Amino acid sequence: QAQLVESGGGSVQAGGSLRLTCQSSGLMISDRCMAWFRQTPAKKRVGVAAIERDSSMLYYADSVKGRFTISRDNAKNEVYLEMNSLQPEDTDIYYCASDLASCPRPWDLVQPYAYWGQGTQVTVSS
C-alpha cells in the first residue's frame, strides 16, 4: 500500500529553520514529480514547492523563493523541504504529494497529485 509520511514539523520562532522530510513506502518516487503543499485555515491547499523526478526543475511559490529549498533522494525514497527564515505567516499544515511522471502544468494544481501524506504542523511564533 502506497504511503507518504511527513516528519520534521514543529514550533520555532521567527527567523528559525525547519527541515521537513517525506518518506515514501510502497511507492517508488524515482519516476514521480514530488511536491509540498500547505493547507490554509480556509482549508485550501496551496503549492509550496515541487521537484521533477530527476531534479532537473524546481518550482517554488513566490512567497518562499529564496527561503525554502526542495530536494530529493531517490535512493532513499525521500523528499525534503528546507525552510529558512521562517515567518509567522508560514504557519500551516504542510503536506507531501506525489504525481505521476512530470509535474503538472501549472505545478501547483492540487487535483493531479494522486498521493498525499497526512501532514505535519509547522508553527512559527513572532
Side-chain angles (χ1 to χ4, degrees), residues 21-81:
T21 298
C22 173
Q23 170 71 57
S24 175
S25 60
L27 184 70
M28 297 302 295
I29 70 167
S30 57
D31 58 350
R32 292 175 173 272
C33 166
M34 299 297 295
W36 288 94
F37 283 77
R38 57 189 292 181
Q39 182 155 307
T40 68
K43 304 302 181 184
K44 177 184 177 182
R45 290 198 177 179
V46 176
V48 176
I51 182 169
E52 296 285 4
R53 50 190 168 174
D54 58 358
S55 301
S56 59
M57 290 291 291
L58 310 180
Y59 309 96
Y60 294 98
D62 288 343
S63 61
V64 306
K65 284 180 180 177
R67 300 188 299 124
F68 292 9
T69 302
I70 188 171
S71 61
R72 63 193 296 159
D73 187 333
N74 288 340
K76 292 184 177 180
N77 236 17
E78 292 182 344
V79 180
Y80 312 101
L81 186 67

Side-chain angles (χ1 to χ4, degrees), residues 6-8 32 34 40-41 61-62 69-70 85 87 91 97 101 116 118 124:
E6 302 93 339
S7 62
R32 292 175 173 272
M34 299 297 295
T40 68
D62 288 343
T69 302
I70 188 171
S85 302
Q87 299 300 317
T91 295
W116 293 83
Q118 83 291 347
V124 186

